[in-house]
């Protein structure tokens, strides 16, 4: 969840590190720091707060040097303050370390290192790494790091520099992403490609337990046994502009606007000339397909809500029993997963620790593992048997929008593909859905272009203490995402509750003026949903209904109606969610919140 960048070459490293960290700030932003080697010493500058604090300092106090590491932090161990900010050093201050992840056995290591005379200054787990390297250092930094990582349990991506090896920048990873950027007379490390994309498009992805030793003109990579590894160079094809704001005030708004394109990009390449879905990436033999007796979908947060829609679609189109599990809970119930299970892990980043752990558990039990992810080369994509990439482009805002919409689309497509292969959906019905999927980008554009109604609503309703979201069937699945979106960026308490469940407890919280979003897009469930709306209205709720265009009946019962363009009932989440994203965005703006970097959150959650 933190960001790492490192450089060795001839350029002034401090501004280069800060510039790289700016591209990673969304990963963590409670403190930032750099370590720079120059003329026989390592200078450390690190501050609590946003990266701008460090940047302002460096404007006035220049630090020279062409070897350095930088870090932007999302605190796990130890409160966010100057001391706990990375980089961390050994007592002599001649070894500096930046780290992403968690060293799970750090308490044990710390006690032992203290007994060996090391003095700890911080509350972090990372500091043990610097002391461990120091402990093992016998004139060979590489060997010292190798010995140190053997003692470390948990997840880590680390970057190390030392005063005694000023010609080296060393990186190691396990269960936390790290790339090596290949330059000309200079080389880089980074936890994410955008940090170095300005300088190079050629990268190596480090695998678990691999160590990279970088000098100005050379990169060597070794496995955990110390054997040299030949790696393939990965050419980055997307542009940095794709990861920048492009005129929008916030990444989130930019990414909401990119949804029509994301839908097109994810859908079109997978339709053949006969307008049929062709998922070349999912290689399931006829026998494997026939064997599947269950689909288990696992994910966290927003991705899990895409999974809820997916569960619905799989059962409807493919008629296979499907379940959705929260990744962080999956392992604790000794799940029934075997070689007849199709296991689907959904993760925008492809790095979420709980989702990865669940995937490994399912794999170890023999399941066929399919990943839906947005990041090529991510850990989850590499460990799955098959990968469906959502072509949404880099998603920077912490609040997921375009990734979510393409995750739902991926689930619809997989469900239709399975359904066609199993013969549980007719060609005609499938065609009708595909035709409608093709119209969704245009309909999404229509919503986004006409967002003034939702903006006006947000301007009136931004001061609520608590907001409820409700619906039935597939509306209930997407209501949960609407609620999460609001709370994560506006800090308003919110809850999503299945409409029929309201009266079993939660209705006690409804009082005069309580805002309730009621999704009423399912023709078959219209009357039942209408009764639920009346129930909350009778207790004083202010009901905003989200309905399909043309459905005027609802205007008699709701206080306000937000329409989405007409579409098939099963596809309405692809449109209704956009209205809820916009509402959350405008409420957060009205409340003066930092939309792209909500407090306490990070884009990629690589700790369990
Ligand atoms: O990268 P992932 O899709 O695995 O991330 C899962 C969740 O952490 C993520 O969806 C989170 O809930 C979003 N910030 C919500 O907008």
């Amino acid at each position: 969840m933190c960001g790492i960048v490192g450089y060795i070459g001839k350029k002034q490293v401090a501004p280069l590190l800060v510039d790289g960290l700016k591209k990673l700030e969304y990963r963590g932003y409670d403190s930032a720091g750099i370590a720079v080697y120059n003329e026989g010493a390592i200078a450390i500058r690190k501050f609590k707060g946003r990266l701008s604090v460090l940047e302002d300092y460096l404007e006035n106090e220049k630090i020279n040097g062409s070897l350095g590491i930088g870090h932007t932090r999302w605190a796990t161990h130890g409160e966010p303050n100057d001391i706990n900010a990375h980089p961390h050093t050994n007592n002599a201050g001649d070894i500096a370390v930046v780290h992403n992840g968690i060293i799970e056995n750090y308490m044990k290591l710390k006690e032992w290192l203290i007994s060996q005379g090391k003095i700890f200054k911080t509350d972090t787990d990372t500091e043990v790494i610097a002391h461990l390297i120091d402990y093992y250092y016998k004139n060979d930094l590489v060997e010292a790091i190798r010995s140190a990582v053997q003692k470390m349990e948990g997840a880590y991506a680390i970057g190390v520099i030392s005063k005694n090896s000023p010609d080296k920048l060393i990186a190691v990873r396990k269960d936390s992403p790290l790339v090596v950027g290949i330059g000309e007379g200079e080389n880089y490390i980074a936890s994410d490609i955008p940090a170095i994309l300005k300088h190079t498009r050629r990268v190596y992805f480090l695998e678990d337990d691999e160590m990279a030793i970088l000098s100005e003109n050379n990169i060597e990579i070794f496995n955990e046994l110390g054997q040299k590894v030949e790696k393939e160079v990965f050419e980055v094809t997307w542009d940095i502009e794709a990861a920048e704001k492009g005129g929008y005030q916030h990444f989130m708004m930019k990414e909401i606007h990119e949804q029509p394109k994301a839908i097109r990009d994810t859908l079109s390449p997978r339709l053949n000339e006969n307008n049929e879905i062709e998922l070349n990436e999912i290689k399931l033999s006829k026998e494997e397909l026939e064997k599947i007796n269950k689909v288990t979908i696992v994910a966290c947060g927003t991705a899990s809500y895409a999974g809820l829609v997916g569960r619905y679609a799989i059962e409807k189109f493919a008629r296979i029993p499907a379940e959705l599990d929260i990744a962080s809970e999956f392992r604790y119930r000794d799940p029934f997963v075997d070689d007849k299970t199709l296991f689907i892990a959904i993760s925008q980043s492809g790095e979420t620790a709980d989702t990865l752990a669940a995937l490994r558990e399912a794999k170890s039990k023999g399941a066929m593992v399919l990943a839906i992810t947005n990041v090529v080369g991510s850990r989850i994509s590499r460990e799955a048997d098959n990968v469906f990439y959502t072509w949404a482009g880099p998603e920077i805002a912490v609040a997921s929008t375009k990734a979510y919409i393409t995750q739902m689309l991926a689930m619809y497509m997989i469900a239709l593909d399975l359904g066609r292969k199993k013969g549980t959906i007719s060609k005609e019905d499938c065609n009708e859905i595909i035709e409608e999927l093709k119209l969704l980008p245009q309909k999404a554009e229509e919503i986004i272009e006409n967002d003034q109604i939702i903006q006006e609503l947000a301007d009136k309703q931004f001061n609520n203490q608590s907001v409820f979201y409700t619906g039935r069937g597939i509306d209930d699945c997407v209501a949960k995402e609407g609620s999460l979106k609001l709370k994560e960026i506006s800090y308003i308490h919110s809850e999503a509750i299945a409409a029929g469940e309201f009266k079993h407890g939660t209705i006690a919280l409804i009082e005069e003026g309580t805002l309730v979003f009621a999704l009423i897009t399912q023709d078959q469930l219209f009357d039942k949903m209408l009764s639920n709306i009346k129930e909350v209205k009778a207790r004083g709720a202010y009901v905003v209904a989200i309905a399909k265009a043309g459905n005027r009946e609802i205007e008699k019962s709701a206080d306000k109606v937000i329409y989405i363009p007409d579409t098939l009932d099963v596809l309405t989440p692809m449109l209704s969610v956009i209205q809820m994203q916009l509402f959350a965005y405008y409420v957060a703006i009205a409340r003066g919140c930092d939309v792209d970097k909500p407090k306490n959150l990070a884009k990629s959650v690589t700790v369990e």
Side-chain angles (χ1 to χ4, degrees):
M1 359 251 261
C2 312
I4 288 180
V5 60
Y7 172 82
I8 185 163
K10 292 205 165 42
K11 293 180 188 146
Q12 279 298 329
V13 71
L16 191 145
L17 294 177
V18 171
D19 194 53
L21 290 176
K22 276 188 194 157
K23 304 285 183 296
L24 302 181
E25 216 191 349
Y26 64 93
R27 291 181 64 98
Y29 33 80
D30 57 44
S31 54
I34 58 168
V36 174
Y37 170 82
N38 191 34
E39 294 181 355
I42 292 179
I44 307 266
R45 298 292 182 272
K46 49 185 194 169
F47 300 100
K48 178 183 172 186
R50 296 287 160 105
L51 183 61
S52 56
V53 181
L54 174 69
E55 194 179 13
D56 290 349
Y57 174 92
L58 292 171
E59 281 289 305
N60 302 316
E61 300 281 333
K62 301 263 180 278
I63 298 182
N64 291 320
S66 303
L67 166 65
I69 47 180
H71 190 265
T72 173
R73 178 173 187 244
W74 185 83
T76 55
H77 294 65
E79 64 173 284
N81 59 26
D82 290 358
I83 294 183
N84 288 333
H86 297 216
H88 295 291
T89 64
N90 60 334
N91 289 141
D94 50 23
I95 297 168
V97 177
V98 285
H99 163 226
N100 284 357
I102 288 180
I103 307 302
E104 285 167 3
N105 60 339
Y106 89 101
M107 278 308 290
K108 225 165 81 191
L109 291 172
K110 188 169 176 175
E111 278 165 27
W112 174 67
L113 286 161
I114 289 172
S115 75
Q116 299 302 311
K118 307 294 177 202
I119 299 161
F120 279 75
K121 301 181 288 276
T122 79
D123 306 317
T124 65
D125 53 337
T126 306
E127 193 182 353
V128 298
I129 306 175
H131 290 301
L132 265 181
I133 299 173
D134 178 49
Y135 177 84
Y136 287 112
Y137 184 76
K138 306 272 178 303
N139 290 322
D140 187 337
L141 182 63
V142 173
E143 275 314 313
I145 297 175
R146 204 162 269 146
S147 304
V149 295
Q150 278 169 13
K151 294 279 168 204
M152 288 155 39
E153 289 166 18
Y156 47 84
I158 59 173
V160 185
I161 59 169
S162 167
K163 171 188 123 173
N164 300 316
S165 302
D167 56 344
K168 284 188 184 69
L169 166 60
I170 300 181
V172 191
R173 68 152 276 175
K174 181 171 171 284
D175 291 335
S176 197
L178 202 66
V179 296
V180 175
I182 309 160
E184 302 268 328
E186 57 184 12
N187 290 305
Y188 305 81
I189 59 167
S191 52
D192 271 277
I193 293 170
I196 53 174
L197 195 54
K198 196 168 165 184
H199 310 285
T200 181
R201 295 187 158 273
R202 305 178 69 227
V203 300
Y204 293 124
F205 289 111
L206 284 192
E207 295 289 336
D208 274 355
D209 301 309
E210 284 183 346
M211 173 190 280
I213 304 172
L214 288 71
S215 59
E216 274 180 35
N217 294 306
N218 197 27
I219 298 171
E220 288 184 308
I221 298 175
F222 297 90
N223 65 18
E224 63 178 320
L225 303 173
Q227 296 156 332
K228 206 163 165 192
V229 185
E230 291 307 326
K231 292 188 82 79
E232 222 176 289
V233 176
F234 181 84
E235 292 277 347
V236 182
T237 50
W238 44 271
D239 284 317
I240 194 70
E241 292 73 41
E244 286 181 343
K245 282 189 204 150
Y248 291 94
Q249 205 187 337
H250 297 100
F251 280 115
M252 183 179 174
M253 199 39 143
K254 174 178 180 250
E255 288 160 7
I256 288 174
H257 277 78
E258 285 170 347
Q259 291 183 113
K261 180 175 183 311
I263 298 171
R264 269 188 210 107
D265 290 351
T266 303
L267 179 68
S268 329
R270 291 168 169 124
L271 294 181
N272 67 17
E273 62 282 3
N274 300 322
N275 208 29
E276 292 157 343
I277 293 173
E278 216 173 272
L279 302 183
N280 294 328
E281 55 265 81
I282 305 176
K283 295 174 194 76
L284 281 182
S285 65
K286 200 165 174 300
E287 296 72 52
E288 283 172 321
L289 187 68
E290 274 161 13
K291 209 165 73 172
I292 297 171
N293 64 6
K294 186 171 85 163
V295 176
T296 298
I297 307 166
V298 164
C300 297
T302 286
S304 77
Y305 299 142
L308 277 181
V309 171
R311 178 179 72 178
Y312 185 99
I314 295 267
E315 292 196 332
K316 189 173 176 66
F317 303 145
R319 305 302 298 151
I320 306 173
E323 58 183 13
L324 178 277
D325 237 306
I326 299 299
S328 55
E329 287 298 321
F330 178 70
R331 284 169 296 158
Y332 308 134
R333 61 179 180 86
D334 195 8
F336 283 94
V337 169
D338 58 21
D339 64 349
K340 299 186 196 67
T341 309
L342 174 62
F343 178 90
I344 305 182
I346 311 179
S347 173
Q348 185 284 129
S349 62
E351 300 290 347
T352 300
D354 284 317
T355 310
L356 181 59
L359 179 155
R360 286 178 177 160
E361 166 102 10
K363 233 182 150 173
S364 73
K365 291 185 162 177
M368 296 161 259
V369 174
L370 166 63
I372 298 177
T373 182
N374 196 35
V375 180
V376 177
S378 57
R379 188 82 249 180
I380 286 175
S381 74
R382 281 181 283 156
E383 295 203 16
D385 300 317
N386 293 293
V387 186
F388 184 116
Y389 284 110
T390 50
W391 298 121
E395 190 180 67
I396 307 297
V398 167
S400 184
T401 52
K402 60 178 181 170
Y404 171 75
I405 219 158
T406 54
Q407 287 163 352
M408 283 195 291
L409 176 60
M411 286 302 323
Y412 285 124
M413 294 179 81
I414 292 165
L416 289 170
D417 182 54
L418 291 175
R420 280 301 297 134
K421 286 180 177 147
K422 289 187 74 217
T424 46
I425 180 166
S426 69
K427 194 168 180 342
E428 295 67 39
D429 287 351
C430 187
N431 271 352
E432 189 194 359
I433 297 168
I434 292 171
E435 283 309 320
E436 196 52 38
L437 284 173
K438 283 159 66 180
L439 295 174
L440 286 178
Q442 198 184 319
K443 294 181 179 180
E445 263 153 24
E446 203 181 304
I447 295 176
I448 296 166
E449 275 161 23
N450 295 298
D451 68 350
Q452 68 284 355
I453 306 170
I454 207 96
Q455 187 172 1
E456 279 160 25
L457 178 71
D459 287 345
K460 286 191 190 123
Q461 295 287 347
F462 71 92
N463 248 338
N464 282 285
Q465 295 280 315
S466 205
V467 177
F468 292 87
Y469 288 74
T470 190
R472 278 180 179 263
I474 206 163
D475 277 346
D476 174 43
C477 308
V478 70
K480 293 191 165 38
E481 170 60 5
S483 169
L484 177 67
K485 217 74 309 161
L486 182 72
K487 65 184 148 195
E488 72 178 320
I489 60 169
S490 76
Y491 318 142
I492 294 177
H493 167 259
S494 174
E495 213 176 302
I497 181 121
E501 267 298 292
F502 237 121
K503 55 183 154 308
H504 296 287
T506 309
I507 204 163
L509 298 174
I510 301 295
E511 50 192 42
E512 202 52 43
T514 305
L515 178 59
V516 176
F517 269 90
L519 282 80
I520 182 160
T521 69
Q522 306 295 295
D523 292 346
Q524 270 195 347
L525 303 171
F526 187 82
D527 292 339
K528 281 207 168 79
M529 192 58 210
L530 207 55
S531 309
N532 299 132
I533 288 176
K534 287 181 178 152
E535 283 158 13
V536 289
K537 265 204 71 62
R539 272 89 189 165
Y542 181 87
V543 174
V544 176
I546 299 187
K548 285 192 297 188
N551 190 339
R552 310 302 297 263
E553 181 65 20
I554 183 66
E555 289 175 16
K556 294 183 204 144
S557 307
D559 294 288
K560 183 151 191 78
V561 184
I562 304 290
Y563 287 107
I564 56 169
D566 193 18
T567 186
L568 297 174
D569 281 10
V570 70
L571 299 183
T572 55
M574 297 284 290
L575 300 177
S576 57
V577 74
I578 302 176
Q579 297 288 24
M580 293 186 284
Q581 293 166 347
L582 289 165
F583 180 73
Y585 176 83
Y586 285 121
V587 167
I589 296 289
R591 291 167 70 88
C593 301
D594 189 344
V595 174
D596 284 337
K597 295 175 195 151
K599 67 176 185 210
N600 304 340
L601 296 178
K603 183 65 185 163
S604 163
V605 185
T606 50
V607 291
E608 289 182 26

